[in-house]
Amino acid sequence: MSFGEPEGYGQGARPRPLGRRGRSQAIAAAACLVLGTGLIGGAVTGSWLTGDSDGTGTRPGFAAAQDIWHDVPVDQLFPPTVQGKGAGPGGADRVWTRIAVAPDSDCDGAFDTLMRKVLAPVGCERLLRATYTDATQSHVTTVGLLFTKADAAAMTTLARRFDKERLDRRSDLMPLPYAAKGTAAAGFGAKQRASWTVSVLTDAPVVVYAVTGWADGRTVDTPQPAEDAMESGATTAPAQAGLGHEAQGLADRVERGLRKKAGTATEQPS
């Protein structure tokens, strides 16, 4: 291998300026390198951000989450005790204790008629539910994980509909609670629902929800979505009792646990 002589010197070893052509070629080459690297890097970054690493539109963890309902122990999906640091009104800490776990089942009897129609496009593979009470045993909250039969596109369509039509704020689409005999939630029925939240995931075939009420069985004439009940200055009974925080806080932590399990499953070597 041989290298050409440098062009920095002329005949008789007299110094001469580097030619403009050489400089422009170097600048152009560097620009192409930067541009090419940027385009490649941008494509890779975009792939990471969208979760589309193989160009098929498949999100990491989506397939793994489909099997969580029968692969992961119930104590990991619905821990016996859930810590809610900063989850209460004013950033107060919360602790929830599980008092009942429903047998895993289909969705028959778990939702009112209108809610069943809204969820019909994604189907029902399995429904898992558990009911918790707060540290004072004043409130009861049912949290549910509805595993659907849908693909990522169908989940995204449903999530967009919930967002566009604000279906998560409609009291006629509240999930039903799970009342277990012999527990603080024994009287927790449809008329006792005070606040609720519903979240349609797009990175997993799951709908996460929570519905809360008072443990003394009192009826509620005007339930309030958790988002509204958590607003500063809200004066409704559910808001004043912190029931919006109960529903949202518990649902958030169960959802985090689900996402963590789905992520762990995708990281396991094949």
Side-chain angles (χ1 to χ4, degrees):
M1 178 179 295
S2 62
F3 295 90
E5 294 181 358
E7 298 181 348
Y9 290 88
Q11 189 177 28
R14 296 175 58 187
R16 63 177 174 83
L18 289 172
R20 294 182 180 178
R21 180 181 177 186
R23 182 181 298 141
S24 63
Q25 286 177 333
I27 294 173
C32 289
L33 178 61
V34 172
L35 180 59
T37 303
L39 290 174
I40 294 172
V44 173
T45 303
S47 174
W48 289 341
L49 292 176
T50 61
D52 186 9
S53 59
D54 58 3
T56 63
T58 301
R59 295 174 175 85
F62 192 94
Q66 292 176 324
D67 298 326
I68 283 180
W69 69 268
H70 61 71
D71 289 346
V72 177
V74 67
D75 283 352
Q76 295 182 26
L77 292 176
F78 300 125
T81 302
V82 176
Q83 301 291 332
K85 185 174 178 61
D93 294 341
R94 282 288 187 267
V95 177
W96 297 283
T97 301
R98 193 185 69 198
I99 57 176
V101 177
D104 62 275
S105 63
D106 55 25
C107 293
D108 288 346
F111 302 102
D112 290 328
T113 302
L114 188 56
M115 187 60 160
R116 288 200 303 269
K117 291 181 179 179
V118 170
L119 296 173
V122 295
C124 175
E125 179 67 29
R126 215 65 179 167
L127 177 64
L128 308 183
R129 294 171 292 170
T131 297
Y132 289 78
T133 186
D134 67 318
T136 65
Q137 295 191 351
S138 300
H139 311 135
V140 284
T141 304
T142 293
V143 58
L145 295 173
L146 166 59
F147 289 81
T148 74
K149 299 179 180 180
D151 59 13
M155 293 301 295
T156 298
T157 297
L158 182 63
R160 287 174 178 168
R161 184 185 176 193
F162 262 78
D163 182 61
K164 181 179 180 180
E165 301 179 24
R166 303 312 306 266
L167 301 183
D168 57 331
R169 302 169 71 92
R170 287 179 47 169
S171 60
D172 55 353
L173 295 177
M174 272 192 298
L176 290 170
Y178 174 65
K181 295 180 180 179
T183 71
F188 189 22
K191 294 182 179 180
Q192 283 70 39
R193 295 174 291 182
S195 190
W196 77 99
T197 182
V198 179
S199 178
V200 180
L201 307 188
T202 58
D203 55 353
V206 181
V207 177
V208 183
Y209 68 85
V211 56
T212 189
W214 281 275
D216 60 10
R218 74 183 72 176
T219 59
V220 180
D221 295 329
T222 309
Q224 189 174 32
E227 184 178 347
D228 291 346
M230 293 172 63
E231 288 185 358
S232 177
T235 58
T236 63
Q240 291 293 304
L243 293 180
H245 290 80
E246 295 288 315
Q248 190 66 61
L250 189 53
D252 283 348
R253 280 146 187 84
V254 169
E255 180 180 326
R256 291 177 198 173
L258 173 74
R259 291 180 184 278
K260 184 177 181 180
K261 291 302 175 185
T264 299
T266 60
E267 292 169 3
Q268 293 177 349
S270 56

